[in-house]
């Protein structure tokens, strides 16, 4: 008589246990991969924002140097500008010109890009011809700024400067009409011309300023001449209005300000201010060893 040996197998409980272990391992692996990917995307975005901030700072410095030397004006315009400042103060005229030039060279809204800048005595800086082909509006204030950041830095490359826009991720704005720089999450990267540092006013504290000097902290008005004579230059003509106005300086108050390149961060949300939340900010990233959030 032949005896059959029963073949062994897994019980239901054993199968459920194995499946559970495999599911747990898959979940842990997926979480690890997701975390690594998120970290890498954050790192890439920080590098992109830093690169754009460096290029913007270089162009900003060149514009400010032109203001200090009055190179942007004809001899007649220089005389008119200086003669229309109290006591024909050249330092006051240079501060006014610095605001005029940075307003023209770094428009933050598409309307600004197409408007002339008028200073003391009617001295006028014509809008840049390179901005004439830009659209008149965009999906929102952030995208207007992003469109202009691309236009500003792409022109810098055309002038023979070191920055190459092709080294940075690009794409189209929501309307599909203009090129913009994009972060690793596919969001347009914007900029603020006269960054205020947000509600915390961080740009007016260490390590961004040395408060012991007792001087004006405004690099465009180092002697505080415009702060003392604000009527010399109409603020409505140099400070942004509408849209992103709440994110920028709005008066000649002697406080520190500088341009800032900003990403919306991993949550793709500008929160109530571009300086808040998880948004990488260029001037923060320029501080070695710091994250931009």
């Amino acid at each position: 008589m032949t005896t059959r040996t029963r073949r062994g197998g897994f019980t239901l409980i054993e199968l459920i246990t194995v499946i559970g272990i495999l599911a747990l391992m898959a979940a842990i692996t997926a979480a690890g991969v997701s975390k690594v990917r998120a970290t890498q995307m954050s790192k890439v975005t920080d590098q992109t924002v830093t690169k754009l901030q460096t290029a913007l700072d270089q162009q900003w410095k060149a514009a400010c140097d032109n203001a200090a030397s009055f190179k942007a004006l004809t001899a007649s315009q220089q005389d008119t500008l200086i003669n229309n400042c109290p006591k024909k103060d050249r330092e006051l005229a240079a501060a006014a010109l610095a605001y005029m030039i940075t307003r023209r060279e770094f428009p933050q809204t598409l309307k600004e890009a197409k408007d002339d800048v008028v200073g003391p005595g009617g001295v006028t800086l014509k809008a840049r011809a390179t901005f004439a082909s830009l659209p008149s509006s965009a999906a929102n204030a952030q995208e207007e700024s992003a469109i202009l950041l691309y236009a500003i830095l792409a022109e810098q490359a055309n002038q023979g400067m070191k920055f190459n826009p092709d080294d940075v991720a690009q794409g189209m704005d929501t309307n599909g009409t203009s090129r913009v720089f994009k972060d690793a999450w596919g969001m347009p990267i914007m900029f603020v011309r006269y960054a205020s540092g947000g509600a915390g006013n961080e740009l007016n504290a260490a390590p961004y300023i040395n408060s012991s000097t007792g001087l004006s902290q405004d690099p465009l008005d180092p002697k505080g001449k415009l702060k003392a004579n604000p009527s010399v230059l109409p603020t409505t003509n140099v400070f942004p209005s509408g849209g992103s106005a709440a994110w920028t300086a709005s008066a000649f108050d002697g406080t520190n300000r500088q341009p800032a390149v900003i990403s919306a961060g991993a949550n793709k949300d500008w929160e109530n201010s571009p300086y808040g939340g998880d948004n990488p900010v260029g001037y923060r990233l320029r501080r070695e060893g710091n994250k931009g959030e």
Side-chain angles (χ1 to χ4, degrees):
M1 180 176 179
T2 303
T3 303
R4 293 188 176 184
T5 303
R6 186 175 180 181
R7 189 175 177 182
F10 292 108
T11 65
L12 179 61
I13 293 176
E14 289 172 331
L15 285 173
I16 291 174
T17 301
V18 170
I19 291 171
I21 292 172
L22 291 175
L24 178 61
M25 292 177 65
I28 293 173
T29 300
V33 170
S34 178
K35 184 176 181 180
V36 169
R37 183 171 181 270
T39 300
Q40 184 61 27
M41 291 175 76
S42 178
K43 182 178 180 180
V44 168
T45 295
D46 285 354
Q47 291 172 342
T48 298
V49 170
T50 300
K51 185 176 292 186
L52 295 175
Q53 182 71 54
T54 300
L56 190 65
D57 285 346
Q58 290 172 347
Q59 195 154 340
W60 181 271
K61 182 180 183 302
C64 291
D65 288 345
N66 282 339
S69 63
F70 293 91
K71 286 181 179 179
L73 302 180
T74 65
S76 175
Q77 286 178 317
Q78 289 181 38
D79 291 340
T80 300
L81 183 68
I82 294 170
N83 290 338
N84 278 274
C85 288
K87 300 180 181 178
K88 300 182 179 181
D89 189 331
R90 288 184 63 89
E91 290 179 333
L92 175 56
L97 184 57
Y99 270 95
M100 291 171 65
I101 288 178
T102 52
R103 157 64 180 76
R104 181 186 68 169
E105 300 295 320
F106 306 93
Q108 192 174 312
T109 68
L110 290 167
K111 183 181 184 305
E112 283 187 334
K114 298 173 186 295
D115 287 345
D116 298 337
V117 185
V118 182
V123 172
T124 301
L125 297 181
K126 293 291 185 180
R128 300 283 314 214
T130 51
F131 297 141
S133 61
L134 295 176
S136 58
S137 64
N140 50 51
Q142 293 92 344
E143 289 208 8
E144 285 200 21
S145 174
I147 290 169
L148 287 161
L149 177 63
Y150 182 88
I152 290 165
L153 295 185
E155 182 180 357
Q156 178 187 115
N158 292 336
Q159 294 171 346
M161 297 187 182
K162 293 181 179 180
F163 176 74
N164 183 356
D166 292 335
D167 291 339
V168 180
Q170 303 173 17
M172 301 301 291
D173 71 318
T174 299
N175 294 337
T177 60
S178 304
R179 295 202 71 77
V180 294
F181 296 114
K182 291 198 171 184
D183 60 23
W185 298 282
M187 288 288 288
I189 298 175
M190 64 167 285
F191 89 105
V192 175
R193 179 170 71 250
Y194 304 134
S196 65
N201 205 23
E202 65 183 312
L203 282 173
N204 289 280
Y208 298 106
I209 65 168
N210 180 0
S211 58
S212 65
T213 63
L215 298 175
S216 168
Q217 304 296 344
D218 183 355
L220 301 180
D221 183 25
K223 297 295 181 64
K225 296 297 181 75
L226 274 173
K227 180 180 179 181
N229 300 275
S231 62
V232 166
L233 188 59
T235 57
T236 54
N237 195 231
V238 294
F239 290 111
S241 60
S244 55
W247 304 337
T248 186
S250 59
F252 303 116
D253 55 9
T255 56
N256 182 30
R257 58 195 52 161
Q258 55 184 283
V261 175
I262 308 171
S263 158
N267 65 1
K268 302 182 182 181
D269 187 355
W270 295 104
E271 286 84 28
N272 294 322
S273 163
Y275 310 104
D278 67 343
N279 302 343
V281 180
Y283 62 74
R284 294 174 185 160
L285 289 166
R286 292 294 301 275
R287 292 159 45 202
E288 187 175 356
N290 285 268
K291 285 185 66 61
E293 300 169 4

